[in-house]
Amino acid sequence: MSEVGTVLLAAGLGSRFGSAPKLLAPLDGKPLVRHAAEAALEACPRPVVVVLGAHAEAVRATLAGLDLIRIDNPDYRTGLASSLRAGLAALPPRCTGAVIVLGDMPRVTAAHIDRLVSAFTGAAVAPAAVVPVQDGRRGNPVLLNLRRLGEEIGRLAGDHGAGPLLRGRPDVLEIPGDTATALDIDTPAGLAALSRGPA
């Protein structure tokens, strides 16, 4: 039986957003990272590990009261790969898979996460990963098979996640994505456009 946990990546500098901490920027009355954390907790996978780095204490305070395992990544400045490795290392050994949720994707819901898990656990042969796809482009969150990818993930470095490992693999299961799985917030203008809603 496959067991799946969740890793919420909330350690990045968000340098394209400017001097203000991106993950603390408000949307619909709550910080971006709180949207992501609540979606993760409303979904089935457990535990939910959140990786902190830049602005760690402020992000930690924003997530107060939530049933999260909080870990600090002292190497967050080296890029996303170090946070991914740290988060996966904090999952219990029983987890054969991990959903990777990004803290700057506020429209991702529990349903998006649970669809990944259903596709993973329902496959006749467990895929290396499950990824949402919209208009031919892969999005997030993704589910990683730790039994198949663990060693390769351990060698990742720099400011990227598992995307390079999945490129061209025949054992990646693609499922339908939507606008939420394609939307991350990188700039204040992007956040303002989302706050305004459809034109």
Side-chain angles (χ1 to χ4, degrees):
M1 180 66 181
S2 298
E3 291 202 39
V4 180
T6 294
V7 173
L8 170 61
L9 299 178
L13 287 162
S15 53
R16 290 174 58 191
F17 200 81
S19 58
K22 175 174 71 170
L23 295 182
L24 303 182
L27 175 69
D28 302 336
K30 69 180 73 169
L32 288 179
V33 70
R34 183 96 183 186
H35 285 274
E38 290 179 355
L41 288 170
E42 288 167 8
C44 293
R46 288 292 185 278
V48 178
V49 173
V50 59
V51 184
L52 305 172
H55 317 291
E57 290 311 310
V59 174
R60 193 188 309 273
T62 293
L63 299 176
L66 299 182
D67 184 21
L68 302 163
I69 296 174
R70 297 160 177 81
I71 65 166
D72 291 289
N73 173 21
D75 300 321
Y76 69 89
R77 290 183 182 276
T78 66
L80 189 149
S82 66
S83 292
L84 177 61
R85 293 197 312 271
L88 293 177
L91 290 174
R94 69 175 185 272
C95 288
T96 59
V99 178
I100 311 303
V101 178
L102 304 183
D104 63 356
M105 298 188 71
R107 293 303 190 227
V108 166
T109 67
H112 292 105
I113 295 168
D114 287 339
R115 277 198 290 271
L116 295 171
V117 177
S118 294
F120 180 65
T121 58
V125 177
V130 184
V131 300
V133 177
Q134 186 197 30
D135 297 332
R137 297 189 64 176
R138 290 179 172 179
N140 285 287
V142 301
L143 190 154
L144 304 178
N145 183 333
L146 302 181
R147 298 294 183 262
R148 289 205 190 181
L149 298 173
E151 288 188 17
E152 295 172 80
I153 292 169
R155 294 192 291 269
L156 283 173
D159 197 26
H160 53 73
L165 302 182
L166 306 182
R167 197 170 296 125
R169 288 186 67 123
D171 54 355
V172 173
L173 176 59
E174 296 183 339
I175 65 172
D178 56 26
T179 55
T181 62
L183 174 71
D184 62 338
I185 302 299
D186 287 326
T187 64
L191 178 61
L194 183 60
S195 300
R196 289 193 299 269

